[in-house]
Amino acid sequence: MLDEPLTRALGPATAKVMAESLDLRTVGDLLHHYPRRYEERGQLTRLAELPLDEHVTVVAQVADARVHKFNAGRGQRLEVTITDGSGRLQLVFFGRGIHKPHKDLLPGSRAMFAGKVSMFNRKLQLAHPTYERLDAESGDGAVSAFAGRLIPIYPACKGLESWKIAKAVDAVLPQAGEAIDPLPPALRGGRGFVSLPEALLKIHRPATKADIEDARERLKWDEAFVLQVALARRRYADAQLPAVARRPVPDGLLDAFDARLPFTLTEGQQKVSAEIFGDLATEHPMHRLLQGEVGSGKTLVALRAMLAVVDAGGQAAMLAPTEVLAQQHHRSIVEMMGELAEGGVLGGAEHATKVVLLTGSMGAAARRQALLDLVTGEAGIVIGTHALIEDKVHFHDLGLVVVDEQHRFGVEQRDALRGKGKQPPHLLVMTATPIPRTVAMTVFGDLETSVLDQLPAGRSPIATHVVPAADKPHFLARAWERVREEVEGGHQAYVVCPRIGDSADEQDGPRKKSAEDEAEKRPPLAVLDVAGQLTAGPLAGLRVEVLHGRMPPDDKDDVMRRFAAGEVDVLVATTVIEVGVNVPNATAMVIMDADRFGVSQLHQLRGRVGRGSAPGLCLLVTEMPEASPARSRLGAVAATLDGFELSRIDLEQRREGDVLGQAQSGVRSSLRVLAVIEDEEVIAAAREEAVAVVTADPELEALPELRTALDALLDKDREQYLDKG
């Protein structure tokens, strides 16, 4: 069976590496570990196009092999030059490890080589690659296995080269016949797909390129369809839940608030508000994702929804990912509401309610009062961090939960908060990271989507420029002059750095090392170092302060408050300012080592300037060489302010797994052949089919195979992810 553990099928040693490095534990896992690409025996991986710092597999011919002595003859190394017609590559072996390759790799012989491409003396090389010879004497079996066949190249890892994985797949491939087909027969027939066992055979051991196409088309559908069925079932289940309809009262808090607004809502804000109010008026819970560019006025839309719920006798909770952000939301909401936020206070307006803040670092007395206001219903609106989810927090009647910045928030957390209502509350999730439609359908498929895509009047454009500090150091000097000019003009500036710089644990958030980090070894610039250099150098005489995630909450709040009040000229910070910090007088931002940030993160950061009437300026400082992918990424950010366009670029450059994994509460992405951007049509079609299947048979009683596939997709974590609520 496909759930047979690999320890039994392959033996403990191989199974251990597969489990630890590739997360493959059963025969089924291995059968779904598809080749990344295929080599034709005669057509080789072009040596001319090898990527630095990646594990590669090449098929090539040995042109030359020489042993060199060094260390006065005590040390020796074997240098082998291989060629494939497009380029040449140096292989090196050292010490005792040279005898076997020296015997095997004679000029004229051919082999498959695998290793990590590194750079030595400005030339690409593979040090100690593993290899498998493709000569006549390597046995008929090996030759016929490679002759004229498409060689599958698998995503490999240290300790398991592609061909070792291929041999392991050969060992379990006969069991593919037992694979249970999840697609309903009518769907499979209607679309002319091959069966699942056949698709698995064809993807691993294709005879022709057409085989690969058939298999991929079929396996893509499996992935898209099973995931969409899971999401459709969640939407269906949610639609069956009872909820209290919350309709705004005429002449209530919402109308009083709207009358206070010094401007009219944009068309987009009116349209999205109408969608939200429509959902709130129904008797099953709203589940809506509100996407909006930085500064498109999402908070205002969310606040109006919260006021409508308070009008209808309920309470609203807003969940923010950090204390800085919760305090900021609290401040801006209280400011926007004015005396309407002074419920129970002498001089409060007649419809007023209380707006309380609840965070982990509050003093005991303030916290007790906040909890009391929630349980009595005195507070109509509460804004807080994860502290809101704690067991001790009880609501009088929780009607709406607003979650800010979904991608920093696990699904479990939003569900814990939803469990606080007498009946499931309505849910509004806000994100400022623009998400292409297909990703929204895949990641947030359990939510309906609203998009705010126009900026409110009065927001200024932001000019973005790349500052190549290594190629043109005078550009960096000019950048600091620009910061001084902004400050002299009465404005303020941010300087953002990737690290804090006070200990070994260097990041505010986890980051994977990229090939370019490795290639250029210099540690990323740190807040504390940069702040010191700026005060002593180019920004001497200005009021420079630092802000980072490891400062005590009170200190952070104090710095932010003084910056907002204009008592600080330049704030040198980590990405703690990425989300929600709103200082309209800040017009310039310099991002150091900008290549260390992702595209959407740069876009988020940039959105902190140009929030007032003066135009914004964002300078992306980098030392990466002109031709590097990192520079082209920065160029893309400088070229457009359209977050949706950037999110497409971001997705094309990263693997979807990163995007999906992050959004799905840290659960690894199940997508193996489905590419979210390219396969837009597959996803949209699968969603329609899934909705039809679930509407006709919510429990999938007539489709036991599909149920089995769902159980496999929804391993324990994802089961919770999708079945909560």
Side-chain angles (χ1 to χ4, degrees), residues 46 145 151 175 187 236 267 388 412 449 505 617 716 719:
R46 292 172 53 80
I151 304 170
Q175 286 162 270
L187 173 76
Y236 181 86
E267 245 174 86
L388 275 181
E412 290 86 357
T449 307
D505 160 51
L617 171 70
K716 290 296 159 270
E719 184 93 63

Side-chain angles (χ1 to χ4, degrees), residues 286-288 400-403 414 418 425-429 447:
M286 161 170 85
H287 290 108
R288 193 166 278 283
L400 169 67
V401 174
V402 179
V403 178
R414 77 181 195 205
R418 274 167 49 182
H426 299 281
L427 175 71
L428 180 64
V429 173
L447 303 170

